[in-house]
Amino acid sequence: MTAQGMRALLTDGRIVSIRRLAGSDAASVLRLHEQLPEHDRYLRFFTLGTARLAAFTARLTAADDAHRGALGAFDGAELVGVAHYDVLDDPAAAEVALVVNHAVQAGGVGTLLLEHLASLARDRGVRRFVAEVLAPNGRMTRVFVDCGLPVSVDHDGSVQHVIVQLDPDDHYLDAVTERERRADAASLRSVLCPRVVAVIGASRRDGAIGHAILRRIAEGGFGGRLFAVNPHATEIAGVPAYASVAALPEVPDLAVVCVPAAAVPGVAEDCGRRGVRALLVITAGLTGDEPVRRGLLDAVRRHGLRLVGPNCLGLDNTDPRVRLDATFSDLAAPSGPVGVATQSGGAGIALLDQLGHLGLGVSTLVSMGDKYDVSGNDLLRWWLGDDPTEVAVLYLESFGNPRKFSRLARRLAQRKPVIALRIGNTAVTQPAAASHTAAAAPPAATRDALYHQAGVIAVDTLTELVATTAVLCWQPVPGGSRVVVLSNAGAVGVLAADACASDGLSLPELSEHTRATLRELLPQHASVDNPVDTTLTSRSMSRIRAACPTTTTLHPLRVAVSSSSASKATTEPPTAAASFPPLDVRMITSPPSTVK
């Protein structure tokens, strides 16, 4: 944990910084405790007195060591919560206590402090926290019980003795992941579902990026209010313009920043002071200029802003309630089921183009650029609760927190497919990938192992990415791995069966009952073994479709044979499935009970 602390999200999406307390925090710690309502002070200290607060504060803000630790949660410069522990005679046990500003209780401050304090103590050899909580202090007891760690509570009259085991298990990690998902989704609403948007640096010139983004938002039918910020105009492209962020008639949820790099930190500071919740920084050139980069990050942390970018294409949310297209791409993204998170704006444009040719659209697209804040992990959390997103597509050049990515991607992949485009597969291309967005690209073997562990479908080319996305959008996920292949051309059916078997699918031997049923439906010279050859009789497939149980899924496929003699199967879109092609092959997938 750095001196600046770690940014953490509250349940309402606001950002606090959690860091170790120091002597310079003594006045803030004392003020926090002195300003507690009498009831809160009694619940914390079992007394209404304040005489010993100064000595308590001095001990709390002294340099910590292996025997004790103290953390504070800061909302900007204001201390809103404190958590600390003191090791007992048993070095594996420590007494823990928390206090939170009454105005922000129930916002998740106590839970966040407990999580971080438990991690600090665990690293120092502490294995359990103990606490004494007055019975009326049910809110504090719930913080312990709901944190996800194993907790026991013994009642002794008016006092509850609480023991929290600090060794994390899957239940705890799942609880943390779910808390992070809810908080992240709340914070990203200002990014992806803003009610008020301001484009700062919107030029009157048609060819300027700021002008293009402003026009795209306006013409895309944005469902909220839109303003431009330009000191030299009162109206741009039909949108009212104001001289500064301070002059805007409403506080924007999202500010789109299209000003020169040197001006970005000042704009971020102005936005933070005005109460803006999120920034979308299109501007490039910050990462190579350390004072400018640091100035932007300092403003973001000081005011608790979410930040997309810098050096990015923008973002798009096609939800009809939002209709926010804040990009400068020439391609307007149609609405669809694909969620896209990309570090490369060019890759995002290419993907939109190819998906558009297939009639597929996006639910959300976020170009993260140099990803100072919002990352692929944030989008994975968003898609976990976003019903319009049915397939998640990733173009990632680096992983800020690989362990968290693995857990989030695995959780999302259990609900909806996650596809990733692999890049930097060779020693030649890895430096190029890293320099593109100043990202630290992981070794290819590490990345591939991460994808495999998380259940991510990894592909190597944009063509594969689009084809795989199309398959998963057009066809339902099979109920199992058992497959029966039906074809009206025997050789094509064999190729499809080979492709299925080579990818680990099971082609079960058909029972005599199933073969007898097929003989009744098909011509005499048809083959009723798996793969089934129905011959080129036009009515055969229709008869089989009518005879299939409702739990069975028929997937129309087209099979192409490459020069390497490997077969590749890709799905036809729904419109092509209405009329059977001259060579028609179908895979039947079903639960085991329906293939007899």
Side-chain angles (χ1 to χ4, degrees):
M1 187 175 294
T2 66
Q4 288 183 320
M6 181 177 295
R7 279 164 48 106
L9 293 167
L10 300 180
T11 55
D12 63 357
R14 288 183 299 124
I15 298 173
V16 295
S17 176
I18 296 179
R19 62 171 175 81
R20 296 181 190 177
L21 294 175
S24 58
D25 298 312
S28 296
V29 173
L30 182 61
R31 183 166 53 252
L32 171 67
H33 287 84
E34 287 178 337
Q35 292 177 349
L36 288 174
E38 285 189 352
H39 183 64
D40 284 10
R41 191 182 307 127
Y42 173 72
L43 293 178
R44 166 63 185 89
F45 294 106
F46 294 28
T47 179
L48 295 176
T50 61
R52 301 176 64 181
L53 280 182
F56 170 77
T57 297
R59 186 169 61 85
L60 207 61
T61 55
D64 63 6
D65 53 32
H67 300 288
R68 59 185 192 77
L71 300 177
F74 294 82
D75 183 358
E78 181 186 2
L79 179 67
V80 295
V82 168
H84 65 97
Y85 73 84
D86 289 278
V87 176
L88 302 174
D89 292 338
D90 178 356
E95 185 176 14
V96 64
L98 294 85
V99 65
V100 175
N101 184 320
H102 187 81
V104 297
Q105 289 178 7
V109 174
T111 300
L112 283 174
L113 283 168
L114 181 61
E115 285 179 13
H116 287 269
L117 192 69
S119 178
L120 176 65
R122 190 163 48 241
D123 290 343
R124 294 175 172 181
V126 177
R127 287 295 170 262
R128 63 185 179 277
F129 280 159
V130 299
E132 291 188 348
V133 182
L134 287 174
N137 197 358
R139 182 172 286 175
M140 186 69 255
T141 304
R142 284 196 300 275
V143 169
F144 288 123
V145 172
D146 295 343
C147 72
L149 291 166
V151 176
S152 63
V153 181
D154 291 329
H155 299 271
D156 182 10
S158 63
V159 176
Q160 300 175 103
H161 300 281
V162 180
I163 300 177
V164 183
Q165 304 295 335
L166 300 188
D167 291 328
D169 55 13
D170 286 341
H171 175 71
Y172 173 68
L173 295 176
D174 286 341
V176 171
T177 298
E178 179 58 22
R179 283 196 292 270
E180 290 177 341
R181 184 198 68 78
R182 291 196 302 265
D184 216 350
S187 76
L188 287 181
R189 276 194 277 273
S190 297
V191 175
L192 292 170
C193 305
R195 296 165 296 178
V196 182
V197 172
V199 180
I200 303 173
S203 173
R204 290 173 292 185
R205 290 187 296 108
D206 285 345
I209 287 179
H211 183 94
I213 292 178
L214 181 71
R215 186 176 292 277
R216 176 58 66 83
I217 297 173
E219 295 178 351
F222 174 52
R225 276 91 64 202
L226 177 63
F227 303 104
V229 174
N230 185 320
H232 307 295
T234 58
E235 178 269 329
I236 301 173
V239 177
Y242 297 84
S244 65
V245 175
L248 290 170
E250 296 183 69
V251 178
D253 298 301
L254 174 68
V256 184
V257 181
C258 309
V259 300
V264 170
V267 168
E269 182 66 26
D270 292 343
C271 289
R273 289 177 178 173
R274 185 68 203 277
V276 175
R277 299 293 298 272
L279 303 178
L280 169 60
V281 179
I282 305 297
T283 308
L286 282 79
T287 300
D289 189 329
E290 182 58 23
V292 173
R293 185 188 77 88
R294 175 54 52 192
L296 171 59
L297 288 175
D298 286 347
V300 165
R301 288 168 178 160
R302 186 161 44 248
H303 298 288
L305 301 169
R306 294 310 311 258
L307 168 63
V308 177
N311 184 25
C312 68
L313 171 68
L315 62 87
D316 197 335
N317 184 353
T318 64
D319 187 318
R321 296 166 296 183
V322 180
R323 297 193 306 276
L324 174 63
D325 185 352
T327 69
F328 57 90
S329 167
D330 292 335
L331 301 170
S335 178
V338 183
V340 179
T342 174
Q343 278 185 260
S344 165
I349 292 172
L351 182 61
L352 285 177
D353 180 41
Q354 294 204 24
L355 289 175
H357 285 311
L358 296 176
L360 290 173
V362 300
S363 56
T364 48
L365 180 146
V366 177
S367 170
M368 300 172 292
D370 293 350
K371 62 171 189 176
Y372 284 9
D373 175 29
V374 173
S375 68
N377 287 354
D378 293 287
L379 273 300
L380 292 175
R381 293 191 191 98
W382 176 267
W383 292 327
L384 274 166
D386 186 48
D387 291 337
T389 300
E390 299 174 8
V391 177
V393 172
L394 305 173
Y395 178 97
L396 301 177
E397 296 171 356
S398 63
F399 301 92
N401 189 330
R403 181 175 297 177
K404 188 161 289 187
F405 171 85
S406 176
R407 190 166 190 86
L408 287 169
R410 183 164 61 248
R411 191 175 186 191
L412 181 61
Q414 292 171 349
R415 306 183 188 184
K416 49 190 81 172
V418 181
I419 314 167
L421 180 60
R422 284 186 289 225
I423 65 162
N425 295 321
T426 67
V428 174
T429 58
Q430 275 197 338
S435 65
H436 173 232
T437 54
T446 302
R447 175 208 59 203
D448 292 346
L450 187 63
Y451 284 155
H452 178 75
Q453 181 186 50
V456 174
I457 303 168
V459 298
D460 293 312
T461 68
L462 187 61
T463 300
E464 283 186 88
L465 179 66
V466 173
T468 305
T469 302
V471 168
L472 295 168
C473 288
W474 288 333
Q475 298 296 338
V477 177
S481 62
R482 294 159 58 87
V483 177
V484 177
V485 176
L486 297 94
S487 171
N488 58 5
V492 177
V494 170
L495 289 170
D498 280 341
C500 292
S502 65
D503 282 332
L505 298 176
S506 171
L507 286 92
E509 180 179 348
L510 302 183
S511 67
E512 181 54 39
H513 170 77
T514 300
R515 291 199 295 269
T517 302
L518 288 171
R519 291 190 191 99
E520 295 176 2
L521 298 170
L522 300 176
Q524 184 175 3
H525 52 283
S527 171
V528 295
D529 292 316
N530 189 11
V532 177
D533 179 8
T534 68
T535 73
L536 286 172
T537 303
S538 61
R539 299 179 59 189
S540 298
M541 286 292 185
S542 299
R543 290 173 177 171
I544 293 175
R545 180 190 293 275
C548 277
T550 56
T551 54
T552 300
T553 304
L554 276 143
H555 300 282
L557 303 174
R558 63 177 184 271
V559 176
V561 183
S562 71
S563 58
S564 63
S565 299
S567 58
K568 303 289 184 182
T570 59
T571 60
E572 293 281 5
T575 53
S579 59
F580 300 130
L583 291 181
D584 189 9
V585 72
R586 306 257 159 173
M587 289 197 309
I588 295 181
T589 59
S590 65
S593 60
T594 62
V595 179
K596 301 177 180 179

